[in-house]
Amino acid sequence: MKSLWFCAVLLFASSGVLAAANRGDPELRQPASGEWLHVGGDWSNSRYSTLVQVTRDNVKNLKGAWVTHLGSGLGAKYSLETTPIVKNGVMYVTTGNDDVFALDARTGALIWQHKSGIDQNISTVCCGWDNRGVGVGDGKVFLGQLDGRFVALDAKTGKPVWHTQIGKWQDGYTITTAPTYYRGVVYTGISGGDRSARGKLTALDAKTGKELWHFWTAAGPGDRGGDTWPSPKDPDPDKAHAYEHGGANVWQAPAIDPGLGLIYFSTGQPGPDAVGLGSKRPGDNLYSSSIVALHLDGTYAWHFQMVHHDLWDFDCPSPVVLFDQVYGGVVRKGIAEACKTGWVYLLDRTNGKPLIGIDDKPVEQDRRVATSPTQPIPRGDALIPQCPQPLAGWTTKCIFGVIYDMPILMSPGGNGGTNWAPMAYSPQTGFFYVAAADRPQSRILRQLGKSVGPPVGAKYSGTFSAVDSRTNKVVWQKKLPYSIGQGSGALATASGLVFHGQPDGNFQAYDARSGDLLWQWQTGAGADAPAVTYEVDGEQYIAIAAGGVAIQTTSANSDMIWAFSLNGSPGGRLQPFDPPRPPQTVVGFDSAVEVSDSIKLVDYAFAPQRVTVAAGHAVTFTNTGTETHNASSSDSGGWDTGMLATGQSASVTFNRPGTYNFNCSPHPSMIGQIVVTGEAVPSAQPVVVHRSGPAPAATHNH
């Protein structure tokens, strides 16, 4: 068994900690206090703790207590997005390889580890290999895996108890979300909308793994909402079967209101392609890009669709948050969701009606993609610009602009706004704390066989905002240099603090009311996972995983779990680590040009990124990654290697001098450049593509 490396002096957990791991099931109606029993802190996903030992006055004295290297999830394809769960002094964490670790929450010492053994050739993962955490209850630890299996482990030993196949990865089904446990039932979403799968929420018996029910989020014939998809009798087979590949996957842990007997979650964009295939799925495409409320028996209660007939990948992967607030002198039960559109949507969680106001407004129309005539626009402040900054050579469009056959630059992009980063809600301030990305994106209809690369020179940035739940307006906002909508999110405490991790490795604490930065610590890798706080033996700890995000942000990869306290490590020996290489803030090439006639396609980059060859010479592209990739001209060249499975190659001969930019169509953040020198080859085509072997089906990035 591979050992853990410890940066501080660590002691192995006592038998008392092990015995305590099976004591009782969590009851999470109230905000978190001494333990952190759900990825959202409680069943409302508030990410708020009542602990007050660490305050605005003394947070400057917060020090590293321990750091642990897990020895898993190291490599460019992995992300470390886990939220630690802490119960009875034991911390449970996961890595991007679906490996699970139980640690002593006081010291970081290993108690047990479970290696997933998942197939390393899984090729249908959307956005890097990641796992966002476990659920606990019934003496078990629950985990979804990238191979579509859902697993229960014994909480004391880590030994498998049961597993259930929720879906096959070969059919596009993977699980990245953390589950929610509630009174003998465990609920899990599923990924795969980006891979032509049909989304669903599944309820399993916690003791046996038996499926109790599932709710299809792409409504089918006879279902409520089924008429928002093309008729299954349509003569066009693509339309007739659209709902079967309808996406609307569930990326995050659901919230539960025990008093109302309802479970809530948001859904992903419609499939089989968010960008472009609107003509093949006319209608609103329920329940994609929506908040859905179900009764605990899986029957429909209500829904609200944030984006009708989504053509932009403007879904809302962030967890929904339940809250109570006064409106018009009356206490209302609310639900909030932050989306890639850059808005926060506030609804009454009893019926799905807007609390402040959301207006359906006309948007740009184009019948070629069956646009919806209107889109819901919340009253209040957007967290990011709704139009991109001008960039030379680009036609720009604002939110809900039509994408078709001409390259455009749009903001928000499909990776902009709030992606999966969870927001926090403080009942003390009444503020939501929300991370968002200002990330302009180049767009074109993929199904026309055209590709457009990232807009070189476009600037990425982010905002970290406090939004008043009473008005949906920004109270304070920090403009940050990095794209943070797919990262750490926020953690709020009753002592008036808000914690947030940065992709440059800095873990930060802010004043919850003013937004003043009070403390930060360099973790040494991308601090892109949600932070938690807990108490052991009277000492408050704040913990965060630091291991980076594989794509979108491309922050530094690692395998660390950090914990902080006012006392710190013995003798104060644990100091901040050296900062990692910061993530990209301007789209462009940051490597030197190499003389080479071969380029590897890895997960998720070209290696080398820039090469030079003489005119008339071929460049060979070989996919050495685990996912399907291609190299496709992103300028006027018009060439494409075709989709390459692992081990496949294609050669491109360049007969004219010049600079040729290209990218990967499924993963457009992969960019490359070929500089061709010398004299043009007479009477030859400018670019010639040679390939062998069948091409796999095209896929795209979430």
Side-chain angles (χ1 to χ4, degrees):
M1 179 170 62
K2 188 173 182 178
S3 62
L4 294 164
W5 176 84
F6 303 106
C7 196
V9 177
L10 305 177
L11 300 175
F12 280 92
S14 68
S15 59
V17 172
L18 288 169
N22 197 25
R23 242 188 250 149
D25 283 338
E27 187 69 21
L28 306 177
R29 294 173 185 264
Q30 301 300 319
S33 54
E35 300 183 305
W36 196 270
L37 300 173
H38 181 259
V39 290
D42 55 30
W43 285 324
S44 70
N45 282 335
S46 70
R47 297 194 47 76
Y48 174 80
S49 171
T50 60
L51 295 180
V52 294
Q53 188 178 100
V54 181
T55 69
R56 288 174 290 182
D57 294 329
N58 64 23
V59 69
K60 62 181 179 292
N61 300 320
L62 202 60
K63 307 175 187 70
W66 54 263
V67 62
T68 296
H69 282 262
L70 299 174
S72 169
L74 286 168
K77 74 177 182 180
Y78 296 105
S79 296
L80 188 56
E81 301 177 5
T82 187
T83 297
I85 298 296
V86 181
K87 182 178 182 181
N88 296 321
V90 180
M91 176 185 290
Y92 303 97
V93 293
T94 58
T95 69
N97 198 57
D98 293 333
D99 299 331
V100 186
F101 297 81
L103 309 174
D104 187 324
R106 297 165 297 185
T107 66
L110 177 67
I111 297 173
W112 56 255
Q113 60 180 311
H114 167 78
K115 293 302 182 76
S116 66
I118 58 174
D119 186 347
Q120 295 300 300
N121 295 312
I122 295 174
S123 60
T124 52
V125 178
C126 161
C127 310
W129 283 41
D130 65 85
N131 184 289
R132 290 173 185 158
V134 301
V136 294
D138 192 43
K140 302 180 184 67
V141 175
F142 303 103
L143 168 79
Q145 296 187 164
L146 292 173
D147 58 5
R149 284 162 47 113
F150 193 86
V151 177
L153 308 174
D154 185 282
K156 290 191 293 185
T157 65
K159 301 298 183 183
V161 179
W162 54 256
H163 74 268
T164 298
Q165 195 75 39
I166 303 294
K168 295 180 179 179
W169 70 261
Q170 293 89 343
D171 297 329
Y173 286 107
T174 59
I175 307 175
T176 58
T177 179
T180 294
Y181 171 87
Y182 176 71
R183 296 188 176 178
V185 180
V186 61
Y187 302 89
T188 182
I190 199 151
S191 309
D194 301 84
R195 299 295 185 263
S196 297
R198 186 184 182 193
K200 61 181 177 178
L201 183 79
T202 302
L204 303 170
D205 185 295
K207 291 189 180 299
T208 66
K210 178 183 178 181
E211 181 177 313
L212 302 176
W213 54 260
H214 65 260
F215 179 87
W216 290 113
T217 52
D223 295 340
R224 182 191 297 266
D227 57 355
T228 65
W229 293 85
S231 168
K233 297 180 180 179
D234 195 292
D236 183 335
D238 288 337
K239 290 183 178 180
H241 297 282
Y243 75 93
E244 296 177 3
H245 308 283
N249 39 277
V250 181
W251 288 98
Q252 75 300 105
I256 291 176
D257 185 325
L260 295 175
L262 296 177
I263 185 168
Y264 307 88
F265 54 94
S266 62
T267 62
Q269 84 283 350
D273 195 327
V275 183
L277 276 183
S279 61
K280 295 297 185 182
R281 49 174 174 83
D284 280 351
N285 307 141
L286 292 177
Y287 297 95
S288 67
S289 302
S290 300
I291 294 174
V292 178
L294 304 178
H295 299 287
L296 292 174
D297 62 1
T299 57
Y300 172 91
W302 59 259
H303 80 278
F304 182 89
Q305 189 172 52
M306 282 81 74
V307 182
H308 306 318
H309 186 67
D310 189 350
L311 299 169
W312 307 272
D313 199 2
F314 278 166
D315 59 324
C316 310
S318 181
V320 297
V321 176
L322 311 185
F323 67 103
D324 293 346
Q325 187 54 272
V326 176
Y327 298 91
V330 178
V331 177
R332 305 280 296 277
K333 296 179 180 295
I335 183 171
E337 174 69 357
C339 290
K340 292 183 187 177
T341 58
W343 284 302
V344 177
Y345 299 75
L346 304 178
L347 308 173
D348 185 317
R349 70 176 179 270
T350 68
N351 56 27
K353 304 298 183 184
L355 287 170
I356 292 176
I358 301 175
D359 304 311
D360 262 9
K361 295 186 177 181
V363 294
E364 184 182 358
Q365 296 295 292
D366 192 325
R367 64 182 182 182
R368 294 176 296 180
V369 289
T371 41
S372 171
T374 62
Q375 292 293 346
I377 311 295
R379 299 174 193 172
D381 294 334
L383 303 177
I384 58 169
Q386 300 292 291
C387 299
Q389 291 292 317
L391 187 65
W394 286 90
T395 297
T396 61
K397 284 194 176 184
C398 301
I399 190 170
F400 301 129
V402 170
I403 303 166
Y404 200 67
D405 56 348
M406 295 300 293
I408 61 169
L409 182 64
M410 175 179 281
S411 188
N415 292 326
T418 301
N419 198 313
W420 72 272
M423 62 180 175
Y425 174 72
S426 169
Q428 187 181 74
T429 62
F431 299 164
F432 300 105
Y433 301 94
V434 195
D438 181 10
R439 194 179 176 93
Q441 188 172 8
S442 52
R443 318 297 291 267
I444 197 169
L445 184 68
R446 293 189 181 104
Q447 279 63 41
L448 295 179
K450 298 181 179 180
S451 176
V452 56
V456 175
K459 296 180 179 178
Y460 292 163
S461 62
T463 60
F464 190 56
S465 308
V467 177
D468 195 324
S469 61
R470 292 154 287 230
T471 63
N472 205 19
K473 291 185 177 294
V474 172
V475 180
W476 56 257
Q477 184 176 84
K478 298 296 176 182
K479 296 187 183 300
L480 302 172
Y482 305 114
S483 171
I484 61 172
Q486 59 286 326
S488 172
L491 163 70
T493 71
S495 58
L497 293 171
V498 178
F499 292 89
H500 165 72
Q502 283 274 75
D504 64 1
N506 281 310
F507 184 37
Q508 302 173 325
Y510 292 87
D511 186 302
R513 292 196 179 275
S514 68
D516 294 338
L517 179 63
L518 303 177
W519 169 87
Q520 71 177 16
W521 183 280
Q522 178 53 248
T523 64
D528 293 307
V532 305
T533 186
Y534 59 93
E535 186 177 83
V536 180
D537 297 334
E539 186 168 7
Q540 182 182 354
Y541 295 83
I542 295 94
I544 188 172
V549 175
I551 63 174
Q552 299 176 1
T553 303
T554 58
S555 50
N557 175 253
S558 189
D559 61 346
M560 292 181 284
I561 308 295
W562 276 90
F564 304 87
S565 70
L566 294 175
N567 291 326
S569 58
R573 290 192 296 272
L574 188 55
Q575 297 296 310
F577 283 7
D578 291 336
R581 181 182 179 182
Q584 189 179 52
T585 58
V586 178
V587 180
F589 302 102
D590 55 2
S591 60
V593 178
E594 300 183 23
V595 178
S596 177
D597 60 1
S598 64
I599 295 176
K600 294 180 180 179
L601 288 67
V602 301
D603 306 326
Y604 298 90
F606 294 104
Q609 186 185 50
R610 306 171 73 196
V611 302
T612 183
V613 296
H617 284 252
V619 176
T620 299
F621 296 84
T622 303
N623 185 2
T624 61
T626 60
E627 295 207 36
T628 301
H629 300 292
N630 72 332
S632 179
S633 171
S634 56
D635 47 36
S636 60
W639 56 272
D640 192 327
T641 62
M643 304 306 298
L644 302 175
T646 301
Q648 285 189 309
S649 297
S651 297
V652 183
T653 301
F654 297 88
N655 292 318
R656 299 285 189 273
T659 299
Y660 298 81
N661 295 330
F662 58 93
N663 73 296
C664 174
S665 300
H667 310 103
S669 59
M670 295 171 57
I671 59 175
Q673 187 179 77
I674 297 171
V675 179
V676 180
T677 61
E679 299 293 330
V681 177
S683 303
Q685 292 291 326
V687 181
V688 181
V689 180
H690 307 273
R691 61 165 294 132
S692 60
T699 56
H700 79 279
N701 174 39
H702 177 78

